[in-house]
Amino acid sequence: MEPFQLQRGMGVPTFALVPWKRDFPELLAGMSARDGESIEDPDRTNYALHTGAPAERVIQNRKRLLAQLGVPFSAWTCGEQVHGVNIHEVTADQCGRGGKSMETAISGTDGLFTRERGILLTSFYADCVPLFFYSPDAGIVGVAHAGWRGTVGGIGPRMIRELVRRGAVREEIRAAIAPSIGGCCYEVDEQVATPVARLLPDPGPEILNPAGEGKWKLDLREANRRLLLKEGLKEHHVLVTGWCTSCHPELFHSHRRDRGRTGRMVSFIGMGKG
Ligand SMILES: [Zn+2]
């Protein structure tokens, strides 16, 4: 079953991570969607301040989404994404950073995790792979932004090591790979294919599918899944979406498809105050 299910009819569309919602009611985890009207007006469902969209509009979108999710806007916390592999633990005093302005975002980090309840970790996407993490025993949630650079740099395995260092039992860690560009649409050249093949020897056509001279179709989601399994996660604890951001303009921003002129979805995860 597709783990990310579209929720319509309550204002802005979102994807809920249904199996986690069922198994871990203390969690709020999902991703925003765009709607048909956003094809003409990408800022309508744009949640990122770094795209050059008017800040008031982005902040209004963020507030509308959180009101719908029943979370106070003061919980919105994000990092300055740089396609790197730095991971940062968000402490209670850092709650709200980056919510109202880029200047206060946690600098230079693509991976966030927290042990605090009441913090909503957020990060932004238009094709890159969102990785969600949850340690039910240690009470830690995390999100990592894995484009090809983050994937090759091992941001997923790094996050697992951080969680284990804080007491998470590796075999109990859950991960979910959210909507992002699929192997159907992500053509790469040697610059990207070579480091992927170095990291995952014998990747097979499920990860790197030859697509002509010096070209491959890369499935970054499968690459991330393999890396998480290599790091010791149980196969049945890693959920993977089938949604491709490039294939569905009515639901997703896609940097590649829209040639850079697009908004960003937000992926969010947090533990309720409860
Ligand atoms: Zn596709």
Side-chain angles (χ1 to χ4, degrees), residues 79-88 106-112 123-125 128-131 133 143-159 224:
E80 176 211 8
Q81 295 169 207
V82 292
H83 291 277
V85 293
N86 286 337
I87 292 174
H88 179 90
I106 296 159
S107 62
T109 184
D110 289 78
L112 300 172
S123 56
F124 310 104
Y125 300 86
C128 288
V129 182
L131 303 175
F133 298 87
V143 65
H145 166 244
W148 75 264
R149 291 177 194 278
T151 302
V152 165
I155 195 167
R158 278 165 171 262
M159 178 70 83
N224 275 286

PDB file of all heavy atoms in Angstrom, residues 79-88 106-112 123-125 128-131 133 143-159 224:
ATOM      1  N   GLY A  79      15.816  24.444   8.972  1.00  0.00           N
ATOM      2  CA  GLY A  79      17.229  24.746   8.755  1.00  0.00           C
ATOM      3  C   GLY A  79      17.432  25.436   7.430  1.00  0.00           C
ATOM      4  O   GLY A  79      16.533  25.481   6.588  1.00  0.00           O
ATOM      5  N   GLU A  80      18.643  25.954   7.261  1.00  0.00           N
ATOM      6  CA  GLU A  80      19.040  26.512   5.966  1.00  0.00           C
ATOM      7  C   GLU A  80      19.618  25.345   5.174  1.00  0.00           C
ATOM      8  O   GLU A  80      20.701  24.857   5.492  1.00  0.00           O
ATOM      9  CB  GLU A  80      20.108  27.599   6.192  1.00  0.00           C
ATOM     10  CG  GLU A  80      20.678  28.180   4.933  1.00  0.00           C
ATOM     11  CD  GLU A  80      22.138  28.614   5.091  1.00  0.00           C
ATOM     12  OE1 GLU A  80      22.769  28.327   6.125  1.00  0.00           O
ATOM     13  OE2 GLU A  80      22.651  29.230   4.163  1.00  0.00           O
ATOM     14  N   GLN A  81      18.890  24.885   4.158  1.00  0.00           N
ATOM     15  CA  GLN A  81      19.321  23.695   3.432  1.00  0.00           C
ATOM     16  C   GLN A  81      20.403  24.055   2.422  1.00  0.00           C
ATOM     17  O   GLN A  81      20.246  24.994   1.651  1.00  0.00           O
ATOM     18  CB  GLN A  81      18.115  23.072   2.722  1.00  0.00           C
ATOM     19  CG  GLN A  81      17.091  22.561   3.703  1.00  0.00           C
ATOM     20  CD  GLN A  81      15.760  22.165   3.079  1.00  0.00           C
ATOM     21  OE1 GLN A  81      14.739  22.219   3.744  1.00  0.00           O
ATOM     22  NE2 GLN A  81      15.752  21.777   1.817  1.00  0.00           N
ATOM     23  N   VAL A  82      21.485  23.263   2.435  1.00  0.00           N
ATOM     24  CA  VAL A  82      22.624  23.584   1.568  1.00  0.00           C
ATOM     25  C   VAL A  82      23.099  22.374   0.761  1.00  0.00           C
ATOM     26  O   VAL A  82      24.211  22.363   0.258  1.00  0.00           O
ATOM     27  CB  VAL A  82      23.796  24.156   2.404  1.00  0.00           C
ATOM     28  CG1 VAL A  82      23.435  25.524   2.965  1.00  0.00           C
ATOM     29  CG2 VAL A  82      24.201  23.225   3.548  1.00  0.00           C
ATOM     30  N   HIS A  83      22.263  21.334   0.651  1.00  0.00           N
ATOM     31  CA  HIS A  83      22.654  20.091  -0.024  1.00  0.00           C
ATOM     32  C   HIS A  83      23.901  19.499   0.616  1.00  0.00           C
ATOM     33  O   HIS A  83      24.776  18.965  -0.057  1.00  0.00           O
ATOM     34  CB  HIS A  83      22.864  20.307  -1.530  1.00  0.00           C
ATOM     35  CG  HIS A  83      21.593  20.590  -2.261  1.00  0.00           C
ATOM     36  ND1 HIS A  83      20.741  19.592  -2.675  1.00  0.00           N
ATOM     37  CD2 HIS A  83      20.994  21.754  -2.609  1.00  0.00           C
ATOM     38  CE1 HIS A  83      19.693  20.131  -3.281  1.00  0.00           C
ATOM     39  NE2 HIS A  83      19.814  21.448  -3.244  1.00  0.00           N
ATOM     40  N   GLY A  84      23.984  19.627   1.932  1.00  0.00           N
ATOM     41  CA  GLY A  84      25.104  19.058   2.670  1.00  0.00           C
ATOM     42  C   GLY A  84      24.662  17.857   3.486  1.00  0.00           C
ATOM     43  O   GLY A  84      23.589  17.295   3.244  1.00  0.00           O
ATOM     44  N   VAL A  85      25.506  17.469   4.448  1.00  0.00           N
ATOM     45  CA  VAL A  85      25.188  16.290   5.257  1.00  0.00           C
ATOM     46  C   VAL A  85      25.242  16.598   6.759  1.00  0.00           C
ATOM     47  O   VAL A  85      25.267  15.675   7.563  1.00  0.00           O
ATOM     48  CB  VAL A  85      26.112  15.091   4.917  1.00  0.00           C
ATOM     49  CG1 VAL A  85      25.830  14.600   3.512  1.00  0.00           C
ATOM     50  CG2 VAL A  85      27.577  15.432   5.094  1.00  0.00           C
ATOM     51  N   ASN A  86      25.265  17.885   7.107  1.00  0.00           N
ATOM     52  CA  ASN A  86      25.256  18.223   8.537  1.00  0.00           C
ATOM     53  C   ASN A  86      23.909  17.899   9.149  1.00  0.00           C
ATOM     54  O   ASN A  86      22.871  18.136   8.539  1.00  0.00           O
ATOM     55  CB  ASN A  86      25.526  19.718   8.743  1.00  0.00           C
ATOM     56  CG  ASN A  86      26.969  20.063   8.491  1.00  0.00           C
ATOM     57  OD1 ASN A  86      27.842  19.203   8.582  1.00  0.00           O
ATOM     58  ND2 ASN A  86      27.225  21.308   8.159  1.00  0.00           N
ATOM     59  N   ILE A  87      23.971  17.400  10.392  1.00  0.00           N
ATOM     60  CA  ILE A  87      22.754  17.049  11.119  1.00  0.00           C
ATOM     61  C   ILE A  87      22.771  17.797  12.445  1.00  0.00           C
ATOM     62  O   ILE A  87      23.806  17.886  13.106  1.00  0.00           O
ATOM     63  CB  ILE A  87      22.691  15.522  11.325  1.00  0.00           C
ATOM     64  CG1 ILE A  87      22.483  14.860   9.951  1.00  0.00           C
ATOM     65  CG2 ILE A  87      21.580  15.128  12.281  1.00  0.00           C
ATOM     66  CD1 ILE A  87      22.547  13.377   9.945  1.00  0.00           C
ATOM     67  N   HIS A  88      21.623  18.325  12.814  1.00  0.00           N
ATOM     68  CA  HIS A  88      21.544  19.199  13.982  1.00  0.00           C
ATOM     69  C   HIS A  88      20.425  18.730  14.909  1.00  0.00           C
ATOM     70  O   HIS A  88      19.315  18.484  14.456  1.00  0.00           O
ATOM     71  CB  HIS A  88      21.271  20.631  13.502  1.00  0.00           C
ATOM     72  CG  HIS A  88      21.137  21.614  14.598  1.00  0.00           C
ATOM     73  ND1 HIS A  88      22.212  22.318  15.105  1.00  0.00           N
ATOM     74  CD2 HIS A  88      20.053  22.010  15.313  1.00  0.00           C
ATOM     75  CE1 HIS A  88      21.789  23.113  16.077  1.00  0.00           C
ATOM     76  NE2 HIS A  88      20.478  22.941  16.225  1.00  0.00           N
ATOM     77  N   ILE A 106      18.198  27.486  11.243  1.00  0.00           N
ATOM     78  CA  ILE A 106      19.415  26.846  11.740  1.00  0.00           C
ATOM     79  C   ILE A 106      20.372  26.714  10.555  1.00  0.00           C
ATOM     80  O   ILE A 106      20.038  26.098   9.543  1.00  0.00           O
ATOM     81  CB  ILE A 106      19.075  25.487  12.390  1.00  0.00           C
ATOM     82  CG1 ILE A 106      18.197  25.735  13.631  1.00  0.00           C
ATOM     83  CG2 ILE A 106      20.334  24.728  12.753  1.00  0.00           C
ATOM     84  CD1 ILE A 106      17.391  24.564  14.089  1.00  0.00           C
ATOM     85  N   SER A 107      21.549  27.317  10.673  1.00  0.00           N
ATOM     86  CA  SER A 107      22.364  27.521   9.470  1.00  0.00           C
ATOM     87  C   SER A 107      23.042  26.231   9.009  1.00  0.00           C
ATOM     88  O   SER A 107      23.414  25.377   9.811  1.00  0.00           O
ATOM     89  CB  SER A 107      23.406  28.612   9.711  1.00  0.00           C
ATOM     90  OG  SER A 107      24.257  28.194  10.741  1.00  0.00           O
ATOM     91  N   GLY A 108      23.147  26.118   7.686  1.00  0.00           N
ATOM     92  CA  GLY A 108      23.931  25.063   7.046  1.00  0.00           C
ATOM     93  C   GLY A 108      23.621  23.652   7.481  1.00  0.00           C
ATOM     94  O   GLY A 108      24.541  22.887   7.771  1.00  0.00           O
ATOM     95  N   THR A 109      22.350  23.297   7.524  1.00  0.00           N
ATOM     96  CA  THR A 109      22.023  21.928   7.920  1.00  0.00           C
ATOM     97  C   THR A 109      20.853  21.371   7.120  1.00  0.00           C
ATOM     98  O   THR A 109      19.854  22.046   6.926  1.00  0.00           O
ATOM     99  CB  THR A 109      21.747  21.839   9.436  1.00  0.00           C
ATOM    100  OG1 THR A 109      21.523  20.470   9.769  1.00  0.00           O
ATOM    101  CG2 THR A 109      20.559  22.653   9.867  1.00  0.00           C
ATOM    102  N   ASP A 110      21.030  20.133   6.659  1.00  0.00           N
ATOM    103  CA  ASP A 110      19.987  19.453   5.878  1.00  0.00           C
ATOM    104  C   ASP A 110      19.325  18.321   6.655  1.00  0.00           C
ATOM    105  O   ASP A 110      18.451  17.633   6.128  1.00  0.00           O
ATOM    106  CB  ASP A 110      20.574  18.909   4.574  1.00  0.00           C
ATOM    107  CG  ASP A 110      20.903  20.032   3.607  1.00  0.00           C
ATOM    108  OD1 ASP A 110      21.943  20.682   3.797  1.00  0.00           O
ATOM    109  OD2 ASP A 110      20.095  20.291   2.691  1.00  0.00           O
ATOM    110  N   GLY A 111      19.774  18.114   7.883  1.00  0.00           N
ATOM    111  CA  GLY A 111      19.169  17.073   8.709  1.00  0.00           C
ATOM    112  C   GLY A 111      18.864  17.612  10.093  1.00  0.00           C
ATOM    113  O   GLY A 111      19.715  18.224  10.730  1.00  0.00           O
ATOM    114  N   LEU A 112      17.626  17.451  10.525  1.00  0.00           N
ATOM    115  CA  LEU A 112      17.210  17.931  11.843  1.00  0.00           C
ATOM    116  C   LEU A 112      16.595  16.778  12.618  1.00  0.00           C
ATOM    117  O   LEU A 112      15.869  15.960  12.046  1.00  0.00           O
ATOM    118  CB  LEU A 112      16.154  19.035  11.716  1.00  0.00           C
ATOM    119  CG  LEU A 112      16.527  20.301  10.961  1.00  0.00           C
ATOM    120  CD1 LEU A 112      15.286  21.184  10.787  1.00  0.00           C
ATOM    121  CD2 LEU A 112      17.620  21.075  11.695  1.00  0.00           C
ATOM    122  N   SER A 123      11.180  20.785   6.353  1.00  0.00           N
ATOM    123  CA  SER A 123      12.173  21.025   5.303  1.00  0.00           C
ATOM    124  C   SER A 123      11.471  21.019   3.948  1.00  0.00           C
ATOM    125  O   SER A 123      10.327  20.595   3.840  1.00  0.00           O
ATOM    126  CB  SER A 123      13.323  20.009   5.362  1.00  0.00           C
ATOM    127  OG  SER A 123      12.836  18.702   5.301  1.00  0.00           O
ATOM    128  N   PHE A 124      12.167  21.513   2.944  1.00  0.00           N
ATOM    129  CA  PHE A 124      11.511  21.948   1.687  1.00  0.00           C
ATOM    130  C   PHE A 124      12.022  21.180   0.469  1.00  0.00           C
ATOM    131  O   PHE A 124      13.219  20.910   0.367  1.00  0.00           O
ATOM    132  CB  PHE A 124      11.740  23.448   1.510  1.00  0.00           C
ATOM    133  CG  PHE A 124      11.387  24.195   2.763  1.00  0.00           C
ATOM    134  CD1 PHE A 124      12.387  24.676   3.588  1.00  0.00           C
ATOM    135  CD2 PHE A 124      10.068  24.313   3.160  1.00  0.00           C
ATOM    136  CE1 PHE A 124      12.066  25.301   4.778  1.00  0.00           C
ATOM    137  CE2 PHE A 124       9.746  24.941   4.347  1.00  0.00           C
ATOM    138  CZ  PHE A 124      10.740  25.444   5.160  1.00  0.00           C
ATOM    139  N   TYR A 125      11.100  20.938  -0.442  1.00  0.00           N
ATOM    140  CA  TYR A 125      11.385  20.011  -1.542  1.00  0.00           C
ATOM    141  C   TYR A 125      10.701  20.390  -2.839  1.00  0.00           C
ATOM    142  O   TYR A 125       9.551  20.833  -2.840  1.00  0.00           O
ATOM    143  CB  TYR A 125      10.896  18.604  -1.151  1.00  0.00           C
ATOM    144  CG  TYR A 125      11.581  18.103   0.086  1.00  0.00           C
ATOM    145  CD1 TYR A 125      11.085  18.418   1.341  1.00  0.00           C
ATOM    146  CD2 TYR A 125      12.767  17.381  -0.014  1.00  0.00           C
ATOM    147  CE1 TYR A 125      11.743  18.011   2.487  1.00  0.00           C
ATOM    148  CE2 TYR A 125      13.433  16.966   1.129  1.00  0.00           C
ATOM    149  CZ  TYR A 125      12.918  17.279   2.376  1.00  0.00           C
ATOM    150  OH  TYR A 125      13.572  16.891   3.504  1.00  0.00           O
ATOM    151  N   CYS A 128      13.941  16.639  -4.579  1.00  0.00           N
ATOM    152  CA  CYS A 128      14.853  15.939  -3.676  1.00  0.00           C
ATOM    153  C   CYS A 128      14.051  15.012  -2.754  1.00  0.00           C
ATOM    154  O   CYS A 128      12.839  15.139  -2.626  1.00  0.00           O
ATOM    155  CB  CYS A 128      15.643  16.923  -2.820  1.00  0.00           C
ATOM    156  SG  CYS A 128      16.898  17.816  -3.756  1.00  0.00           S
ATOM    157  N   VAL A 129      14.765  14.081  -2.126  1.00  0.00           N
ATOM    158  CA  VAL A 129      14.102  13.033  -1.361  1.00  0.00           C
ATOM    159  C   VAL A 129      13.993  13.414   0.119  1.00  0.00           C
ATOM    160  O   VAL A 129      15.013  13.621   0.773  1.00  0.00           O
ATOM    161  CB  VAL A 129      14.886  11.703  -1.486  1.00  0.00           C
ATOM    162  CG1 VAL A 129      14.178  10.590  -0.720  1.00  0.00           C
ATOM    163  CG2 VAL A 129      15.061  11.325  -2.946  1.00  0.00           C
ATOM    164  N   PRO A 130      12.771  13.493   0.650  1.00  0.00           N
ATOM    165  CA  PRO A 130      12.627  13.692   2.098  1.00  0.00           C
ATOM    166  C   PRO A 130      12.709  12.339   2.811  1.00  0.00           C
ATOM    167  O   PRO A 130      12.025  11.383   2.446  1.00  0.00           O
ATOM    168  CB  PRO A 130      11.197  14.253   2.243  1.00  0.00           C
ATOM    169  CG  PRO A 130      10.690  14.515   0.855  1.00  0.00           C
ATOM    170  CD  PRO A 130      11.475  13.618  -0.048  1.00  0.00           C
ATOM    171  N   LEU A 131      13.555  12.294   3.829  1.00  0.00           N
ATOM    172  CA  LEU A 131      13.681  11.088   4.652  1.00  0.00           C
ATOM    173  C   LEU A 131      13.147  11.399   6.038  1.00  0.00           C
ATOM    174  O   LEU A 131      13.609  12.342   6.685  1.00  0.00           O
ATOM    175  CB  LEU A 131      15.153  10.660   4.770  1.00  0.00           C
ATOM    176  CG  LEU A 131      15.917  10.400   3.468  1.00  0.00           C
ATOM    177  CD1 LEU A 131      17.382  10.110   3.783  1.00  0.00           C
ATOM    178  CD2 LEU A 131      15.300   9.240   2.702  1.00  0.00           C
ATOM    179  N   PHE A 133      12.386  10.009  10.012  1.00  0.00           N
ATOM    180  CA  PHE A 133      12.900   9.032  10.973  1.00  0.00           C
ATOM    181  C   PHE A 133      12.100   9.118  12.269  1.00  0.00           C
ATOM    182  O   PHE A 133      11.728  10.209  12.712  1.00  0.00           O
ATOM    183  CB  PHE A 133      14.379   9.305  11.296  1.00  0.00           C
ATOM    184  CG  PHE A 133      15.267   9.180  10.103  1.00  0.00           C
ATOM    185  CD1 PHE A 133      15.485  10.271   9.264  1.00  0.00           C
ATOM    186  CD2 PHE A 133      15.876   7.973   9.793  1.00  0.00           C
ATOM    187  CE1 PHE A 133      16.293  10.157   8.143  1.00  0.00           C
ATOM    188  CE2 PHE A 133      16.684   7.850   8.666  1.00  0.00           C
ATOM    189  CZ  PHE A 133      16.894   8.945   7.841  1.00  0.00           C
ATOM    190  N   VAL A 143      14.163  14.518  10.267  1.00  0.00           N
ATOM    191  CA  VAL A 143      13.897  14.657   8.838  1.00  0.00           C
ATOM    192  C   VAL A 143      15.213  15.036   8.164  1.00  0.00           C
ATOM    193  O   VAL A 143      16.003  15.807   8.715  1.00  0.00           O
ATOM    194  CB  VAL A 143      12.774  15.694   8.550  1.00  0.00           C
ATOM    195  CG1 VAL A 143      13.174  17.109   8.966  1.00  0.00           C
ATOM    196  CG2 VAL A 143      12.349  15.660   7.084  1.00  0.00           C
ATOM    197  N   ALA A 144      15.453  14.453   7.001  1.00  0.00           N
ATOM    198  CA  ALA A 144      16.681  14.774   6.265  1.00  0.00           C
ATOM    199  C   ALA A 144      16.342  15.015   4.805  1.00  0.00           C
ATOM    200  O   ALA A 144      15.509  14.327   4.222  1.00  0.00           O
ATOM    201  CB  ALA A 144      17.693  13.644   6.392  1.00  0.00           C
ATOM    202  N   HIS A 145      17.040  16.002   4.234  1.00  0.00           N
ATOM    203  CA  HIS A 145      16.855  16.424   2.848  1.00  0.00           C
ATOM    204  C   HIS A 145      17.951  15.745   2.024  1.00  0.00           C
ATOM    205  O   HIS A 145      19.131  16.059   2.184  1.00  0.00           O
ATOM    206  CB  HIS A 145      16.984  17.957   2.833  1.00  0.00           C
ATOM    207  CG  HIS A 145      17.153  18.567   1.480  1.00  0.00           C
ATOM    208  ND1 HIS A 145      18.297  19.245   1.124  1.00  0.00           N
ATOM    209  CD2 HIS A 145      16.323  18.637   0.414  1.00  0.00           C
ATOM    210  CE1 HIS A 145      18.154  19.718  -0.122  1.00  0.00           C
ATOM    211  NE2 HIS A 145      16.970  19.359  -0.567  1.00  0.00           N
ATOM    212  N   ALA A 146      17.533  14.786   1.189  1.00  0.00           N
ATOM    213  CA  ALA A 146      18.513  13.999   0.450  1.00  0.00           C
ATOM    214  C   ALA A 146      18.324  14.177  -1.051  1.00  0.00           C
ATOM    215  O   ALA A 146      17.537  13.483  -1.676  1.00  0.00           O
ATOM    216  CB  ALA A 146      18.403  12.517   0.829  1.00  0.00           C
ATOM    217  N   GLY A 147      19.020  15.127  -1.615  1.00  0.00           N
ATOM    218  CA  GLY A 147      19.158  15.192  -3.073  1.00  0.00           C
ATOM    219  C   GLY A 147      20.284  14.227  -3.435  1.00  0.00           C
ATOM    220  O   GLY A 147      20.685  13.409  -2.607  1.00  0.00           O
ATOM    221  N   TRP A 148      20.824  14.331  -4.635  1.00  0.00           N
ATOM    222  CA  TRP A 148      21.878  13.357  -4.948  1.00  0.00           C
ATOM    223  C   TRP A 148      23.124  13.604  -4.101  1.00  0.00           C
ATOM    224  O   TRP A 148      23.771  12.657  -3.666  1.00  0.00           O
ATOM    225  CB  TRP A 148      22.182  13.276  -6.447  1.00  0.00           C
ATOM    226  CG  TRP A 148      22.982  14.410  -7.036  1.00  0.00           C
ATOM    227  CD1 TRP A 148      22.487  15.509  -7.680  1.00  0.00           C
ATOM    228  CD2 TRP A 148      24.412  14.524  -7.067  1.00  0.00           C
ATOM    229  NE1 TRP A 148      23.525  16.314  -8.086  1.00  0.00           N
ATOM    230  CE2 TRP A 148      24.709  15.737  -7.729  1.00  0.00           C
ATOM    231  CE3 TRP A 148      25.463  13.739  -6.596  1.00  0.00           C
ATOM    232  CZ2 TRP A 148      26.022  16.176  -7.933  1.00  0.00           C
ATOM    233  CZ3 TRP A 148      26.773  14.172  -6.789  1.00  0.00           C
ATOM    234  CH2 TRP A 148      27.037  15.381  -7.451  1.00  0.00           C
ATOM    235  N   ARG A 149      23.415  14.870  -3.803  1.00  0.00           N
ATOM    236  CA  ARG A 149      24.603  15.145  -2.986  1.00  0.00           C
ATOM    237  C   ARG A 149      24.448  14.615  -1.560  1.00  0.00           C
ATOM    238  O   ARG A 149      25.361  14.013  -0.996  1.00  0.00           O
ATOM    239  CB  ARG A 149      24.904  16.642  -2.945  1.00  0.00           C
ATOM    240  CG  ARG A 149      25.383  17.184  -4.265  1.00  0.00           C
ATOM    241  CD  ARG A 149      25.603  18.709  -4.198  1.00  0.00           C
ATOM    242  NE  ARG A 149      25.744  19.274  -5.523  1.00  0.00           N
ATOM    243  CZ  ARG A 149      26.881  19.275  -6.219  1.00  0.00           C
ATOM    244  NH1 ARG A 149      27.977  18.743  -5.706  1.00  0.00           N
ATOM    245  NH2 ARG A 149      26.933  19.791  -7.424  1.00  0.00           N
ATOM    246  N   GLY A 150      23.277  14.857  -0.986  1.00  0.00           N
ATOM    247  CA  GLY A 150      23.024  14.357   0.371  1.00  0.00           C
ATOM    248  C   GLY A 150      22.990  12.841   0.421  1.00  0.00           C
ATOM    249  O   GLY A 150      23.470  12.223   1.380  1.00  0.00           O
ATOM    250  N   THR A 151      22.434  12.235  -0.621  1.00  0.00           N
ATOM    251  CA  THR A 151      22.369  10.779  -0.700  1.00  0.00           C
ATOM    252  C   THR A 151      23.776  10.193  -0.769  1.00  0.00           C
ATOM    253  O   THR A 151      24.131   9.297   0.006  1.00  0.00           O
ATOM    254  CB  THR A 151      21.558  10.350  -1.943  1.00  0.00           C
ATOM    255  OG1 THR A 151      20.252  10.934  -1.858  1.00  0.00           O
ATOM    256  CG2 THR A 151      21.446   8.836  -2.038  1.00  0.00           C
ATOM    257  N   VAL A 152      24.581  10.733  -1.681  1.00  0.00           N
ATOM    258  CA  VAL A 152      25.943  10.231  -1.851  1.00  0.00           C
ATOM    259  C   VAL A 152      26.793  10.520  -0.613  1.00  0.00           C
ATOM    260  O   VAL A 152      27.656   9.733  -0.226  1.00  0.00           O
ATOM    261  CB  VAL A 152      26.562  10.863  -3.130  1.00  0.00           C
ATOM    262  CG1 VAL A 152      28.047  10.674  -3.174  1.00  0.00           C
ATOM    263  CG2 VAL A 152      25.906  10.264  -4.370  1.00  0.00           C
ATOM    264  N   GLY A 153      26.504  11.618   0.055  1.00  0.00           N
ATOM    265  CA  GLY A 153      27.211  11.944   1.294  1.00  0.00           C
ATOM    266  C   GLY A 153      26.741  11.111   2.483  1.00  0.00           C
ATOM    267  O   GLY A 153      27.339  11.159   3.552  1.00  0.00           O
ATOM    268  N   GLY A 154      25.662  10.356   2.293  1.00  0.00           N
ATOM    269  CA  GLY A 154      25.205   9.452   3.353  1.00  0.00           C
ATOM    270  C   GLY A 154      24.434  10.135   4.461  1.00  0.00           C
ATOM    271  O   GLY A 154      24.560   9.771   5.638  1.00  0.00           O
ATOM    272  N   ILE A 155      23.594  11.103   4.119  1.00  0.00           N
ATOM    273  CA  ILE A 155      22.870  11.810   5.187  1.00  0.00           C
ATOM    274  C   ILE A 155      21.902  10.870   5.921  1.00  0.00           C
ATOM    275  O   ILE A 155      21.706  11.006   7.132  1.00  0.00           O
ATOM    276  CB  ILE A 155      22.171  13.085   4.656  1.00  0.00           C
ATOM    277  CG1 ILE A 155      21.749  13.974   5.839  1.00  0.00           C
ATOM    278  CG2 ILE A 155      20.981  12.750   3.736  1.00  0.00           C
ATOM    279  CD1 ILE A 155      21.339  15.379   5.474  1.00  0.00           C
ATOM    280  N   GLY A 156      21.330   9.884   5.223  1.00  0.00           N
ATOM    281  CA  GLY A 156      20.427   8.931   5.876  1.00  0.00           C
ATOM    282  C   GLY A 156      21.148   8.094   6.935  1.00  0.00           C
ATOM    283  O   GLY A 156      20.753   8.096   8.114  1.00  0.00           O
ATOM    284  N   PRO A 157      22.214   7.374   6.547  1.00  0.00           N
ATOM    285  CA  PRO A 157      22.977   6.620   7.544  1.00  0.00           C
ATOM    286  C   PRO A 157      23.519   7.503   8.679  1.00  0.00           C
ATOM    287  O   PRO A 157      23.560   7.080   9.839  1.00  0.00           O
ATOM    288  CB  PRO A 157      24.123   6.020   6.725  1.00  0.00           C
ATOM    289  CG  PRO A 157      23.555   5.892   5.340  1.00  0.00           C
ATOM    290  CD  PRO A 157      22.636   7.081   5.180  1.00  0.00           C
ATOM    291  N   ARG A 158      23.909   8.735   8.356  1.00  0.00           N
ATOM    292  CA  ARG A 158      24.406   9.636   9.411  1.00  0.00           C
ATOM    293  C   ARG A 158      23.321   9.927  10.436  1.00  0.00           C
ATOM    294  O   ARG A 158      23.589  10.005  11.637  1.00  0.00           O
ATOM    295  CB  ARG A 158      24.859  10.975   8.808  1.00  0.00           C
ATOM    296  CG  ARG A 158      26.241  10.937   8.221  1.00  0.00           C
ATOM    297  CD  ARG A 158      26.451  12.164   7.348  1.00  0.00           C
ATOM    298  NE  ARG A 158      27.832  12.271   6.945  1.00  0.00           N
ATOM    299  CZ  ARG A 158      28.730  13.054   7.548  1.00  0.00           C
ATOM    300  NH1 ARG A 158      28.391  13.821   8.558  1.00  0.00           N
ATOM    301  NH2 ARG A 158      29.971  13.095   7.124  1.00  0.00           N
ATOM    302  N   MET A 159      22.105  10.125   9.951  1.00  0.00           N
ATOM    303  CA  MET A 159      20.989  10.389  10.865  1.00  0.00           C
ATOM    304  C   MET A 159      20.777   9.178  11.791  1.00  0.00           C
ATOM    305  O   MET A 159      20.580   9.339  12.996  1.00  0.00           O
ATOM    306  CB  MET A 159      19.725  10.682  10.065  1.00  0.00           C
ATOM    307  CG  MET A 159      18.495  10.932  10.897  1.00  0.00           C
ATOM    308  SD  MET A 159      18.513  12.500  11.808  1.00  0.00           S
ATOM    309  CE  MET A 159      17.938  13.632  10.533  1.00  0.00           C
ATOM    310  N   ASN A 224      18.482   5.464  -1.457  1.00  0.00           N
ATOM    311  CA  ASN A 224      18.378   5.778  -0.022  1.00  0.00           C
ATOM    312  C   ASN A 224      17.877   4.586   0.777  1.00  0.00           C
ATOM    313  O   ASN A 224      18.362   4.332   1.881  1.00  0.00           O
ATOM    314  CB  ASN A 224      17.482   6.999   0.186  1.00  0.00           C
ATOM    315  CG  ASN A 224      18.248   8.282   0.032  1.00  0.00           C
ATOM    316  OD1 ASN A 224      19.029   8.652   0.902  1.00  0.00           O
ATOM    317  ND2 ASN A 224      18.083   8.952  -1.091  1.00  0.00           N
TER     318      ASN A 224
END
